[in-house]
């Protein structure tokens, strides 16, 4: 296996493990606890080093898992004793981290532990640290360790998926149906600690924190289904690993940092362009609504003009005179209406097409039916009907219109005495009747 | 031992860390009350790319430009956090975590690029990661002092506004303040305090200076003004104490020692604060438990006598234990206490109430039953706001109400009739003064 392959795979395994756990942390609003644990395990690692005076992984895992669970426990303890949650996290992990830094700087030279390497990792060295069975090299240690951790996390989530899901979305219900929610909480935290340690030497703490939170948050923006979210998070983590490696080898910079930066980039893409949650999608749908309202305002006004003064068309002047403050909005709507074939333009001005007329009349019908509803059923004064109807008419569906018509007992005229045009269906029926009678 | 005061450089460092502690502790209070304690952590991390970019542009490592870079990056980070919280379904924790890790990772990318280009060794940028208080020089400290003083003055200037923002931002908006703007000013001040401290404390530990003194101060007081003063004192003492310790113990880095010192203050506060501290709470709990047990035993003894008639005054332990399902060792220790108080006497077959004991028991039982009556007839009496933890009912209810409750006791046949010999049988009023 080539060196770059080993690095990418190691990164992908770390990202995968973190994404699996991170999905639940993000859902349970515990992201910062993950951050805290990944910092707080430092003294655990150092103490395990000092006690066993070896770089053997197993004692380190045990030490870190213990400190990680201790962190989660201390946070819980403090917040039950009146320290609010965020401060409890802050106090606990900064203190533990400070103790870790002191230990490293005091004993660091003795145990061959480099603080920067622990925190920022040097995944580039991953291929050189190989495991031997007998004399036979079986591959990079980081690859085996992180691959194993990935499988462990995968198995944990696979086996306890239902329990974890319920604990994440409805902890009270989970507790009520007998799931040991607290035990699962600490198990999850233990796994976070172990995963952090496994990746410490190779990729460093920042990559772990970034990979726990960022891909899971990205997937959360893209999916509404937990299983799909987890899968997506793992995939995003793997993509970040591959792209990050490519970028880092071009720029000659920290590989772990580049992987995390790519994850951040993917997040910002999702933040902007997620089909339903994205900022752009939301802005687009708001803009679409604004446009629709402007177009309907023009159609309605033109239909009313036609009815009032039997004008076949209207000019820009007339539109401006009647709507001096809104002319920009409405003028832009004109061109869209022409494009949609609801309006025709000629040298004298504008004229509704047949389909434009139909739609305008339908809007007029809706508007006046709603006025009848307000006046007859809710008892509004006749001079207070127009404005509310003007706002609401855009949001009344055809079904609602039918219902309003039924409730107001099929009026012919609105409270101000203006005719309510018949619906399209009624018109067709009438035509058929005429045909039959003739 | 006090050689630190002879060394001008060490004195600079001491001044710097103390000022840092004051400004961070002060601002930390507002961050704490806005539930934004971890914001400092996120901002400190987010400042790293700003420092790197500032270095790349200016190619100097003087503190001023780097601080400006850090400030800008920190503000961008704070802004992005707000965008994520407001525009997505992600919550604050995820927003903080994302900004923290991604900005920091990007900072590491820039830092390694700088280092690999060869300039990094001279730049000393990596000391922002862990901080190096010992390397502070006079000009650095002067800049830090100016910034810290500025932060303190501004925070005190906006004290009333920030207070309103922390406790009732809706009301603040209602009376014409703009919470968004105030929040922005507060955030800027927090960013400034964090950024100034980073050189001494390092990225990760700087947030501790923001969180721990404020959280410690919260244990001692319910008033914001006092809390701020306390937090500033804790911050200053941690800064000075940590620096002092690091000069005593060589090879110990200053930043972590400052944090550990402030954690000691936190632990002391957690344990020893007068009302919220664990010791005070534990003591209160034990005292309450003891009082309740004493009253329960007295009541049990009294009720036993009521049932068997006034002739016998000796009660066996078993019958008392059976009455309230009390744990026997608790019962024995409580009886020992009553013995010491002279309220009971040990008999061969059990315990006997003395005259004083009977009087005390009568008071307790009467009080208890009056409260029962009160709870039963609460609606009729029209008093719906009393402290039911109350010692003696007379302290909490008007005399007429107590009289009425006594009438109810008689209606239900529950008035405690056993009285010490010194009192007349109908002398309920005389027993009123009896302690509960």
């Amino acid at each position: 296996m080539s060196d770059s392959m080993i690095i990418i795979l190691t990164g992908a395994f770390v990202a995968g493990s973190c994404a699996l756990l991170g999905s639940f942390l993000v859902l349970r609003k515990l992201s910062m606890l993950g951050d805290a644990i990944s910092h707080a395990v430092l003294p655990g690692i150092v103490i395990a080093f000092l006690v066993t005076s070896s770089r053997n992984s197993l004692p380190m895992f045990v030490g870190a898992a213990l400190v990680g669970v201790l962190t989660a426990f201390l946070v819980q303890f403090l917040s039950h004793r009146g320290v609010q949650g965020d401060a409890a996290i802050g106090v606990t992990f900064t203190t533990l981290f400070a103790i870790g830094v002191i230990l490293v700087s005091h004993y660091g030279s003795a145990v061959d532990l480099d603080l920067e390497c622990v925190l920022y990792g040097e995944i580039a060295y991953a291929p050189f640290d190989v495991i031997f069975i007998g004399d036979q090299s079986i591959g990079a240690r980081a690859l085996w360790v992180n691959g194993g951790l990935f499988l462990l996390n995968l198995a944990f989530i696979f086996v306890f998926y239902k329990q974890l899901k319920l604990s994440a979305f409805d902890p009270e219900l989970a507790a009520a149906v007998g799931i040991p929610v607290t035990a699962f909480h600490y198990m999850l935290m233990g796994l976070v600690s172990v995963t952090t340690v496994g990746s410490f030497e190779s990729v460093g703490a920042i990559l772990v924190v970034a990979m726990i939170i960022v891909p899971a948050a990205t997937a959360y923006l893209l999916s509404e289904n937990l299983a799909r979210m987890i899968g997506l998070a793992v995939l995003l983590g793997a993509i970040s690993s591959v792209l990050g490696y490519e970028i880092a080898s071009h720029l000659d910079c920290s590989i772990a940092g580049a992987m995390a930066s790519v994850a951040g980039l993917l997040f910002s893409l999702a933040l902007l362009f997620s089909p339903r949650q994205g900022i752009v999608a939301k802005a687009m749908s708001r803009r679409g609504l604004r446009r629709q309202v402007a177009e309907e305002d023009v159609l309605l006004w033109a239909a009313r003009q036609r009815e009032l003064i039997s004008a076949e068309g209207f000019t820009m002047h007339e539109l401006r005179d009647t709507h001096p403050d809104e002319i920009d909005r409405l003028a832009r709507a004109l061109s869209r209406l022409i494009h949609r074939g609801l309006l025709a333009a000629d040298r004298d001005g504008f004229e509704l097409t047949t389909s434009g007329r139909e739609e305008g009349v339908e809007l007029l019908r809706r508007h006046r039916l709603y006025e009848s509803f307000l006046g007859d059923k809710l008892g509004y004064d006749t001079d207070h009907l127009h404005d509310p109807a003007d706002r609401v008419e855009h949001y009344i569906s055809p079904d609602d219109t039918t219902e309003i018509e039924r409730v107001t007992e099929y009026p012919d005229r609105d409270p101000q005495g203006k005719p309510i045009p018949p619906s399209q269906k009624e018109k067709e029926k009438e035509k058929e009747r005429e045909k039959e009678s003739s | 031992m006090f050689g630190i005061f002879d060394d001008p450089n060490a004195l600079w460092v001491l001044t710097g860390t103390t000022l840092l502690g004051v400004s961070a502790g002060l601002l930390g209070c507002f961050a704490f009350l806005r539930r934004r304690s971890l914001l400092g952590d996120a901002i400190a991390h987010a400042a790293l790319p700003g420092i790197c970019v500032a270095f790349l542009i200016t190619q100097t490592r003087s503190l001023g430009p780097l601080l400006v870079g850090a400030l800008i990056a920190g503000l961008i980070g704070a802004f992005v956090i707000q965008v994520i919280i407001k525009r997505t379904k992600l919550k604050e924790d995820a927003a903080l975590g994302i900004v923290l890790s991604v900005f920091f990772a990007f900072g590491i990318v820039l830092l390694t690029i700088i280092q690999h280009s060869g300039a990094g060794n001279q730049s000393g940028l990596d000391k922002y990661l862990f901080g190096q208080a010992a390397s502070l020089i006079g000009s650095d400290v002067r800049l830090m002092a100016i910034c810290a003083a500025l932060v303190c003055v501004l925070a005190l200037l906006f004290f009333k506004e920030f207070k309103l923002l922390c406790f009732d931002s809706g009301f603040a908006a209602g009376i014409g303040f703009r919470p968004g703007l105030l929040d922005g000013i507060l955030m800027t001040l927090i960013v400034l305090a964090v950024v100034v401290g980073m050189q001494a404390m390092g990225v990760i530990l700087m947030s501790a200076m923001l969180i721990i003194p404020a959280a410690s101060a919260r244990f001692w007081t319910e008033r914001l003004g006092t809390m701020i003063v306390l937090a500033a004192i804790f911050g200053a003492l941690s800064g000075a104490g940590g620096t002092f310790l690091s000069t005593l113990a060589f090879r110990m880095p200053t930043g972590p020692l400052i944090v550990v010192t402030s954690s000691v203050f936190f632990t002391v506060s957690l344990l020893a604060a007068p009302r919220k501290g664990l010791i005070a709470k534990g003591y209160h709990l034990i005292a309450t438990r003891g009082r309740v047990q004493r009253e329960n035993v007295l009541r049990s003894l009294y009720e036993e006598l009521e049932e068997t008639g006034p002739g016998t005054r000796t009660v066996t332990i078993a019958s008392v234990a059976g009455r309230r399902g009390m744990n026997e060792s608790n019962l024995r220790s409580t009886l020992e206490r009553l013995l010491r108080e002279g309220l009971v006497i040990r008999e061969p077959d059990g315990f006997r109430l003395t005259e004083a004991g009977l009087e005390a028991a009568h008071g307790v039982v009467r009080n208890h039953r009056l409260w029962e009556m009160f709870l039963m007839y609460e609606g009729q009496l029209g008093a719906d706001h009393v402290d039911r933890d109350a010692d003696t009912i007379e302290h909490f209810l008007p005399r007429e109400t107590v009289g009425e409750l006594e009438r109810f006791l008689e209606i239900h046949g529950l008035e405690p009739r056993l009285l010490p010999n010194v009192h007349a049988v109908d002398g309920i009023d005389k027993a009123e003064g009896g302690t509960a």
Side-chain angles (χ1 to χ4, degrees):
Chain A
M1 206 185 295
S2 75
D3 285 357
S4 54
M5 199 60 202
I6 290 173
I7 294 170
I8 291 175
L9 261 182
T10 307
F13 278 138
V14 172
S17 299
C18 293
L20 288 172
L21 301 172
S23 298
F24 290 99
L25 289 184
V26 168
L27 280 178
R28 295 186 46 199
K29 306 183 187 73
L30 293 175
S31 313
M32 288 310 278
L33 193 55
D35 175 48
I37 287 179
S38 63
H39 284 85
V41 290
L42 185 60
I45 295 178
V46 184
I47 290 170
F49 253 137
L50 292 175
V51 172
T52 64
S53 59
S54 81
R55 289 171 63 93
N56 188 349
S57 294
L58 195 63
M60 268 173 47
F61 283 129
V62 176
L66 287 179
V67 179
V69 172
L70 175 75
T71 310
F73 172 77
L74 279 177
V75 169
Q76 203 81 4
F77 173 82
L78 288 179
S79 42
H80 281 185
R81 296 293 181 286
V83 183
Q84 64 195 31
D86 58 336
I89 291 177
V91 171
T92 309
F93 94 87
T94 51
T95 304
L96 286 171
F97 184 75
I99 293 172
V101 174
I102 292 176
L103 287 176
V104 170
S105 60
H106 201 71
Y107 300 105
S109 50
V111 292
D112 184 26
L113 227 180
D114 180 9
L115 191 55
E116 293 202 18
C117 190
V118 166
L119 284 184
Y120 314 114
E122 206 32 279
I123 197 171
Y125 298 150
F128 308 125
D129 185 6
V130 288
I131 313 183
F132 291 95
I133 291 184
D135 288 337
Q136 186 64 41
S137 144
I138 56 162
R141 205 160 64 98
L143 195 57
W144 282 101
V145 169
N146 288 306
L149 284 174
F150 179 68
L151 288 181
L152 176 71
N153 287 321
L154 198 64
F156 174 72
I157 285 175
F158 189 74
V159 172
F160 295 116
Y161 181 72
K162 249 193 299 186
Q163 287 87 334
L164 286 167
K165 183 177 179 179
L166 197 55
S167 314
F169 286 107
D170 196 339
E172 283 87 7
L173 179 64
V177 298
I179 296 172
V181 178
T182 317
F184 272 107
H185 176 72
Y186 285 115
M187 273 201 274
L188 201 60
M189 294 310 142
L191 281 176
V192 170
S193 332
V194 170
T195 305
T196 308
V197 182
S199 43
F200 250 162
E201 280 187 35
S202 47
V203 298
I206 36 154
L207 182 60
V208 179
V209 178
M211 286 304 173
I212 285 174
I213 303 173
V214 183
T218 314
Y220 187 51
L221 291 183
L222 294 172
S223 172
E224 317 249 307
N225 170 299
L226 178 61
R228 218 170 297 151
M229 172 184 158
I230 295 174
L232 202 56
V234 174
L235 184 70
L236 286 165
I239 293 175
S240 312
S241 167
V242 177
L243 289 182
Y245 179 76
E246 290 302 322
I247 291 173
S249 50
H250 279 291
L251 290 180
D252 184 23
C253 65
S254 156
I255 298 171
M259 288 176 175
S261 300
V262 172
L265 194 69
L266 293 177
F267 173 80
S268 40
L269 288 180
L271 178 67
L272 291 174
F273 302 117
S274 159
R276 277 207 268 171
Q277 311 277 336
I279 290 175
V280 172
K282 282 184 186 164
M284 288 288 276
S285 85
R286 270 199 303 275
R287 194 178 70 154
L289 189 63
R290 267 202 309 276
R291 287 181 159 192
Q292 185 202 335
V293 168
E295 284 163 28
E296 289 183 356
D297 282 345
V298 171
L299 287 175
L300 185 64
W301 174 77
R304 199 182 282 130
Q305 287 297 99
R306 230 176 132 256
E307 181 194 273
L308 283 179
I309 53 175
S310 335
E312 277 307 315
F314 61 92
T315 62
M316 202 65 185
H317 261 301
E318 287 166 336
L319 187 63
R320 183 173 295 136
D321 290 346
T322 44
H323 302 86
D325 299 331
E326 302 175 289
I327 188 65
D328 288 344
R329 181 172 78 91
L330 298 179
R332 278 197 297 273
L334 288 178
S335 66
R336 289 197 300 271
L337 285 170
I338 293 170
H339 186 72
R340 283 173 60 192
L342 301 176
L343 195 68
D346 57 30
R347 229 187 312 165
D348 304 324
F350 303 92
E351 194 180 335
L352 290 175
T353 63
T354 319
S355 51
R357 243 182 335 243
E358 273 171 16
E359 200 157 312
V361 169
E362 182 57 33
L363 284 164
L364 204 57
R365 188 176 121 78
R366 248 198 256 171
H367 179 88
R368 289 183 180 160
L369 273 174
Y370 190 69
E371 283 188 337
S372 306
F373 174 69
L374 289 181
D376 299 347
K377 293 293 159 192
L378 302 186
Y380 277 45
D381 287 341
T382 39
D383 50 351
H384 282 100
L385 295 174
H386 180 77
D387 288 346
D390 212 27
R391 275 196 300 276
V392 172
E393 71 204 7
H394 308 287
Y395 309 105
I396 303 176
S397 70
D399 285 350
D400 293 345
T401 316
T402 319
E403 187 62 20
I404 289 173
E405 198 176 14
R406 195 181 61 74
V407 171
T408 50
E409 292 147 30
Y410 305 96
D412 292 335
R413 291 181 174 274
D414 72 4
Q416 289 153 329
K418 289 178 191 149
I420 297 177
S423 72
Q424 216 57 39
K425 262 189 219 159
E426 282 168 45
K427 265 190 198 165
E428 277 159 25
K429 270 185 206 160
E430 222 163 276
K431 269 182 198 162
E432 274 171 30
R433 246 178 271 141
E434 274 170 26
K435 267 183 203 165
E436 277 167 24
S437 61
S438 66
Chain B
M1 176 174 175
F2 293 96
I4 186 172
F5 296 110
D6 303 328
D7 178 358
N9 205 39
L11 216 50
W12 277 127
V13 175
L14 191 66
T15 318
T17 49
T18 309
L19 281 170
L20 214 69
V22 172
S23 61
L26 201 155
L27 276 177
C29 289
F30 296 113
F32 177 90
L33 292 171
R34 290 286 286 155
R35 299 186 176 271
R36 294 254 170 81
S37 292
L38 294 173
L39 186 69
D41 188 33
I43 286 173
H45 283 79
L48 185 64
I51 292 174
C52 296
V53 170
F55 176 78
L56 283 173
I57 293 173
T58 62
Q59 295 291 331
T60 70
R61 53 151 301 202
S62 63
L63 194 55
L66 297 189
L67 284 192
V68 174
L71 191 65
I72 293 172
L75 286 174
I76 294 175
F79 173 74
V80 174
I81 290 171
Q82 289 304 311
V83 169
I84 293 175
I85 294 173
K86 280 195 187 135
R87 292 298 176 85
T88 71
K89 57 181 179 175
L90 289 166
K91 300 296 179 295
E92 187 160 7
D93 64 308
L96 289 169
I98 290 163
V99 167
L100 179 156
S101 57
V102 172
F103 273 58
F104 193 65
F106 184 58
I108 293 289
V109 168
L110 291 177
L111 191 66
T112 44
I113 289 177
I114 293 171
Q115 278 170 345
H116 293 179
S117 72
N121 295 336
Q122 296 94 46
S123 79
L125 289 185
D126 45 352
K127 81 178 173 204
Y128 284 92
L129 301 178
F130 299 107
Q132 228 168 7
S135 74
L136 288 179
I137 52 171
S139 62
D140 291 347
V141 174
R142 232 164 288 149
L143 187 63
M144 278 170 57
I146 293 169
C147 290
L150 185 74
V151 164
C152 293
V153 168
L154 282 175
L156 294 177
L157 222 57
F158 282 104
F159 179 78
K160 242 192 331 191
E161 284 78 3
F162 286 163
K163 185 176 178 181
L164 198 55
L165 183 72
C166 290
F167 290 108
D168 197 341
S169 61
F171 179 65
I175 61 171
F177 289 107
R178 291 173 52 196
L181 183 70
L182 284 177
D183 223 13
I185 296 174
L186 183 57
M187 286 240 214
T188 313
L189 289 181
I190 291 175
V191 174
L192 193 64
V194 168
V195 161
V196 167
M198 270 173 53
Q199 196 193 16
M201 298 290 297
V203 165
I204 296 151
L205 296 178
M206 189 51 218
S207 54
M209 295 300 286
L210 215 54
I211 303 170
I212 301 179
S216 315
R218 185 67 186 85
F219 279 106
W220 299 89
T221 174
E222 306 282 338
R223 298 192 59 84
L224 180 61
T226 323
M227 181 179 164
I228 282 179
V229 173
L230 276 176
I233 293 173
F234 284 146
L237 288 179
S238 313
T243 314
F244 191 65
L245 281 179
S246 81
T247 58
L248 289 183
F250 290 113
R251 295 169 57 194
M252 291 281 200
T254 315
L257 277 176
I258 293 176
V259 173
V260 170
T261 312
S262 71
S263 302
V264 171
F265 283 117
F266 177 81
T267 314
V268 170
S269 308
L270 174 70
L271 290 175
R275 277 201 296 160
K276 294 182 159 188
L278 292 186
I279 292 174
K281 274 187 186 165
Y283 178 77
H284 184 73
L285 189 71
I286 290 169
T288 311
R289 207 178 276 160
R291 208 190 62 188
V292 168
Q293 270 171 7
R294 177 180 177 276
E295 292 188 359
N296 278 347
V297 170
L298 279 175
R299 268 174 58 209
S300 300
L301 290 169
Y302 192 90
E303 281 165 10
E304 190 69 25
L305 292 180
E306 255 185 341
E307 276 173 28
T308 54
T312 54
R313 285 211 165 170
T314 309
V315 180
T316 60
I317 286 195
S319 64
V320 176
R323 206 160 257 284
R324 290 225 150 62
M326 256 178 115
N327 160 336
E328 200 157 310
S329 72
N330 274 344
L331 178 60
R332 278 181 195 282
S333 66
T334 312
L335 280 170
E336 290 296 327
R337 185 175 157 195
L338 292 175
L339 264 176
R340 279 198 304 277
E341 289 176 30
L343 299 181
V344 295
I345 302 171
R346 205 192 293 273
E347 297 275 320
D349 50 348
F351 287 86
R352 187 161 69 82
L353 279 169
T354 63
E355 285 300 309
L358 190 60
E359 189 173 333
H362 174 268
V364 168
V365 170
R366 173 175 172 278
N367 195 43
H368 183 82
R369 291 188 184 163
L370 283 175
W371 275 123
E372 281 177 347
M373 286 303 114
F374 176 77
L375 291 177
M376 283 167 67
Y377 293 99
E378 195 174 4
Q380 285 179 33
L381 294 168
D384 53 355
H385 221 78
V386 292
D387 177 6
R388 287 179 195 147
D389 244 6
D391 266 354
T392 341
I393 200 160
E394 278 84 0
H395 295 169
F396 296 90
L397 292 179
R399 234 191 132 63
E400 310 86 74
T401 315
V402 175
E404 221 168 314
L405 286 175
E406 282 173 342
R407 215 165 43 72
F408 285 133
L409 267 188
E410 276 170 44
I411 293 170
H412 287 270
L414 281 174
E415 72 273 31
R417 289 201 165 279
L418 285 178
L419 286 172
N421 290 334
V422 285
H423 296 300
V425 172
D426 58 348
I428 285 172
D429 278 351
K430 287 181 195 162
E432 258 180 27
T435 52

